Amino acid sequence: RKEAEKVFNKAILPSFKALKLDPFDVKPILNPIDFVVFKGMNKKETISDIIFLSKKYKTSSLNLLRQQIQEVIVQKNYEWQVARIDENGKIIFE
């Protein structure tokens, strides 16, 4: 785990590094958001924040999509659904 943390810290953007996040709390999505961070997931008993991290690109369509995601979150226009995949590959919503 310590080696993975070193690799992460070398590979991550300096601006992300400045946030001093636990690399094991950072999960790559890559598109349309680069990373989701579940702050506190790895070293604490509770998650204190969920953070979306993305580098701003010159691709206006991608930036527009990210802006729409931000607006949905700010307006609380989303719902939480839990889906599980059983041994047969069937998706079950709880």
Side-chain angles (χ1 to χ4, degrees):
R1 289 180 77 95
K2 288 187 180 195
E3 281 301 312
E5 194 166 345
K6 288 178 189 175
V7 169
F8 173 85
N9 286 327
K10 285 181 184 177
I12 199 72
L13 292 170
S15 55
F16 286 1
K17 232 192 274 192
L19 298 173
K20 299 184 192 247
L21 300 169
D22 182 335
F24 295 101
D25 289 352
V26 179
K27 305 301 174 196
I29 294 181
L30 306 179
N31 190 14
I33 303 295
D34 295 334
F35 302 96
V36 174
V37 181
F38 299 96
K39 194 168 183 181
M41 178 178 72
N42 190 50
K43 294 184 180 170
K44 298 179 182 176
E45 291 187 26
T46 60
I47 294 172
S48 61
D49 289 301
I50 297 174
I51 304 167
F52 295 90
L53 294 176
S54 290
K55 181 180 175 187
K56 194 165 190 170
Y57 293 99
K58 293 181 181 180
T59 311
S60 60
S61 61
L62 182 58
N63 290 328
L64 177 61
L65 183 57
R66 290 174 176 175
Q67 180 65 37
Q68 291 170 356
I69 292 168
Q70 180 180 357
E71 289 171 11
V72 165
I73 293 168
V74 168
Q75 295 171 7
K76 299 181 181 179
N77 190 16
Y78 57 87
E79 64 181 86
W80 184 270
Q81 291 187 356
V82 177
R84 307 230 185 251
I85 301 174
D86 67 14
E87 298 101 28
N88 301 320
K90 182 179 177 186
I91 298 174
I92 301 168
F93 288 94
E94 296 180 354

